[in-house]
Amino acid sequence: MLRKRGSIILCGTLLFVTWNAILVLFLWGRPPSGQPGEPGREQRELEKEPAADMMADMLRMADTFEAELEMQKKILLQIKSHRSVWELPDKKGQKATPSQPVIPILVIACNRVTVKRCLDKLLEYRPSAELYPIIVSQDCGHAETAEVIGSYGSRVTHLRQPDLSDIAVRPEHRKFQGYYKISRHYHWALNQVFKTLSHSSVVIVEDDLEVAPDFFEYFRALYPLLKSDPSLWCASAWNDNGRENYVDTGKANLLYRTDFFPGLGWMLLRELWDELEPKWPASFWDDWMRQPEQRRDRACIRPEISRTITFGRRGVSLGQFYDKYLRFIKLNSEFVPFTQLDLSYLKEEAYREKFEREVYSAPVVKYEEVKQGQLKGPGPFRLQYSSKDGFKLMAKNLGIMEDLKSGVPRAGYRGVVSFMLRGQRIYLAPPPGWTQYDPTWS
């Protein structure tokens, strides 16, 4: 059924491209005169320039449509070609779904009708409805949003968080009521996924995220690594410093370990939820995840180029960081066949040794040299910090995220933040011999 649907989509795309080409050729080749009711010479002269402009506009429009369709066709072909990796022939030679783990996508929704943008992209790029069921959990009881979600019918499962009451909080926390409700919603929704529906893993996205073409491929490839490496506790689609000029656009396949919990499109296993659920916090769940008591020296996987972007400026955080950072995050557009790559380099011991060797063998440079663009060569270069204030000052002035959570910098690994600047790799790093984070750095 899935293969048939993919073929229909591809055929429709090809027919649409062909129709546009025929239309352009028809308009281009249409005879200019000789038909009854032809306007006189003077009128033709008056209409000549507007007609030419109209023809040019139509040709440009046709070119734009064709280019866009070619790009979408290429993406769909890539997804279809890699779908065969997840299908094995049965004894009769027909295609059958193998006993592969189901990875549900949990969409956390509230009162944004723009959840449609999120769901449209998930459905467009999803290679298998069976392997990736989409579950939308809605809080807030917002009727218009519920109507949008309901319009997708059986393509998504629509859950409604039943407790919409206000939460009793301390007087000074009344302005944070929204954060309390979000934490309550996450707790309920994850229990539905793991305890009611009995899934073994989940990828969480929020209703203001758009995903990349290889979003599903990315998490499918990281699932076995997450299962086998106890030093990992999540995989995230997000790079906190993933703005256009701060990533290596030629390395869409590059992945990192990070000590910072990124969120914004992330996978966890049922075993982790069994650990976290009994002590789940009443509010600010994401910062709670970043505390040493929860992280327990475990890392997440994150990409060089993000597989999600956020389009939700308005929310309970009132657009914190959005205008300065989040709106400029680059979304990956290249399909990377992660399930066919060897990702063993991400395992803890091998990764740490190689990463530290590369960082601390890089030449140390001065902040002024980096800031003024005086470095020669592609790098990498090491820019050293030794205090909280030193890190914050350099990070802010170089344009990367400056805040720390329980002492851990965003996208950092063993205190090191890796980013690109003017096409050169920079490691903002503590001195050699780093041992642990200082939780007072915040």
Side-chain angles (χ1 to χ4, degrees):
M1 178 65 184
L2 293 171
R3 294 178 62 84
K4 183 177 179 181
R5 187 187 311 155
S7 299
I8 292 171
I9 293 170
L10 290 172
C11 290
T13 303
L14 291 169
L15 286 171
F16 193 78
V17 172
T18 305
W19 169 251
N20 276 279
I22 293 170
L23 179 62
V24 171
L25 289 171
F26 172 76
L27 292 170
W28 185 263
R30 188 174 58 183
S33 62
Q35 300 298 323
E38 180 185 5
R41 180 178 177 182
E42 292 182 3
Q43 185 178 346
R44 289 202 306 273
E45 289 297 324
L46 289 171
E47 293 178 351
K48 188 174 182 180
E49 285 191 17
D53 291 342
M54 185 182 296
M55 177 62 72
D57 288 342
M58 291 180 70
L59 288 170
R60 281 194 294 271
M61 188 180 297
D63 288 342
T64 301
F65 273 127
E66 189 167 356
E68 177 66 22
L69 286 167
E70 279 297 320
M71 184 182 73
Q72 291 297 322
K73 184 179 71 173
K74 181 180 177 182
I75 291 171
L76 290 169
L77 282 169
Q78 288 174 324
I79 293 172
K80 183 181 178 183
S81 68
H82 292 293
R83 185 177 294 155
S84 61
V85 175
W86 308 322
E87 297 175 334
L88 297 174
D90 64 13
K91 294 180 180 179
K92 297 179 181 179
Q94 298 174 333
K95 291 291 183 179
T97 303
S99 56
Q100 293 212 39
V102 172
I103 303 176
I105 311 300
L106 174 62
V107 180
I108 299 291
C110 181
N111 58 358
R112 290 188 179 106
V113 295
T114 50
V115 66
K116 176 176 172 55
R117 176 174 169 183
C118 171
L119 292 175
D120 283 348
K121 285 300 180 182
L122 284 170
L123 289 167
E124 178 182 353
Y125 297 139
R126 180 174 67 170
S128 166
E130 287 76 18
L131 292 179
Y132 304 99
I134 296 174
I135 303 165
V136 186
S137 180
Q138 186 191 359
D139 201 358
C140 309
H142 190 248
E144 289 82 359
T145 301
E147 185 177 350
V148 170
I149 298 167
S151 70
Y152 290 89
S154 61
R155 290 182 292 170
V156 307
T157 298
H158 186 187
L159 305 179
R160 290 174 172 84
Q161 203 281 105
D163 186 359
L164 304 182
S165 63
D166 283 341
I167 300 172
V169 300
R170 302 194 306 270
E172 63 270 26
H173 271 213
R174 285 174 185 162
K175 62 182 178 180
F176 300 130
Q177 179 76 210
Y179 289 101
Y180 281 82
K181 289 185 176 182
I182 288 172
S183 191
R184 177 176 67 185
H185 184 195
Y186 265 81
H187 184 270
W188 182 85
L190 285 168
N191 271 339
Q192 296 304 303
V193 170
F194 289 122
K195 296 187 175 182
T196 303
L197 300 175
S198 301
H199 288 294
S200 61
S201 67
V202 70
V203 176
I204 304 171
V205 300
E206 296 189 356
D207 56 0
D208 61 348
L209 293 184
E210 178 180 326
V211 304
D214 58 355
F215 174 85
F216 295 94
E217 173 80 358
Y218 174 78
F219 284 109
R220 172 65 55 180
L222 290 177
Y223 175 86
L225 191 65
L226 201 56
K227 288 285 287 185
S228 63
D229 188 346
S231 71
L232 292 173
W233 71 322
C234 81
S236 173
W238 181 260
N239 175 5
D240 277 290
N241 292 313
R243 289 188 291 161
E244 180 82 37
N245 297 322
Y246 289 81
V247 296
D248 188 339
T249 56
K251 292 187 177 179
N253 64 336
L254 182 58
L255 306 180
Y256 296 84
R257 294 176 71 101
T258 177
D259 299 320
F260 191 88
F261 170 70
L264 293 172
W266 59 288
M267 173 191 279
L268 75 156
L269 303 179
R270 180 167 51 201
E271 292 82 357
L272 179 62
W273 182 242
D274 289 341
E275 172 192 326
L276 298 177
E277 192 269 339
K279 57 177 181 175
W280 190 253
S283 63
F284 305 106
W285 70 269
D286 48 350
D287 284 343
W288 176 83
M289 290 277 289
R290 292 161 182 153
Q291 294 172 359
E293 295 80 8
Q294 279 64 252
R295 188 172 64 83
R296 293 170 50 194
D297 293 325
R298 292 173 293 192
C300 292
I301 300 298
R302 62 115 176 145
E304 171 78 0
I305 304 176
S306 291
R307 265 58 186 186
T308 57
I309 55 169
T310 176
F311 53 84
R313 184 181 185 278
R314 297 182 63 184
V316 293
S317 64
L318 302 177
Q320 184 185 27
F321 298 130
Y322 184 83
D323 289 328
K324 188 174 181 181
Y325 295 104
L326 304 184
R327 64 180 294 195
F328 301 109
I329 295 292
K330 176 177 174 57
L331 181 66
N332 180 62
S333 59
E334 174 188 344
F335 190 98
V336 176
F338 283 111
T339 57
Q340 299 176 31
L341 302 182
D342 181 4
L343 301 181
S344 60
Y345 71 91
L346 292 166
K347 291 186 176 180
E348 182 180 28
E349 187 174 346
Y351 183 90
R352 178 184 293 187
E353 182 180 335
K354 182 180 178 182
F355 184 82
E356 290 186 340
R357 183 170 62 249
E358 183 170 340
V359 170
Y360 290 101
S361 64
V364 178
V365 294
K366 297 179 180 178
Y367 164 74
E368 292 77 12
E369 295 176 307
V370 180
K371 179 67 176 174
Q372 296 170 17
Q374 297 175 347
L375 302 178
K376 305 297 182 184
F381 301 100
R382 176 159 53 98
L383 182 60
Q384 188 165 294
Y385 69 89
S386 55
S387 68
K388 176 184 74 172
D389 292 339
F391 172 85
K392 283 179 168 284
L393 179 66
M394 287 190 281
K396 181 178 180 180
N397 290 336
L398 294 175
I400 62 172
M401 299 287 274
E402 67 199 74
D403 63 320
L404 304 108
K405 302 291 184 180
S406 297
V408 184
R410 290 183 182 269
Y413 177 68
R414 298 189 62 76
V416 180
V417 178
S418 173
F419 61 97
M420 300 293 289
L421 193 65
R422 301 184 187 91
Q424 298 169 312
R425 176 67 63 183
I426 306 293
Y427 292 122
L428 183 55
W434 180 96
T435 56
Q436 61 184 1
Y437 294 104
D438 184 345
T440 66
W441 287 24
S442 61

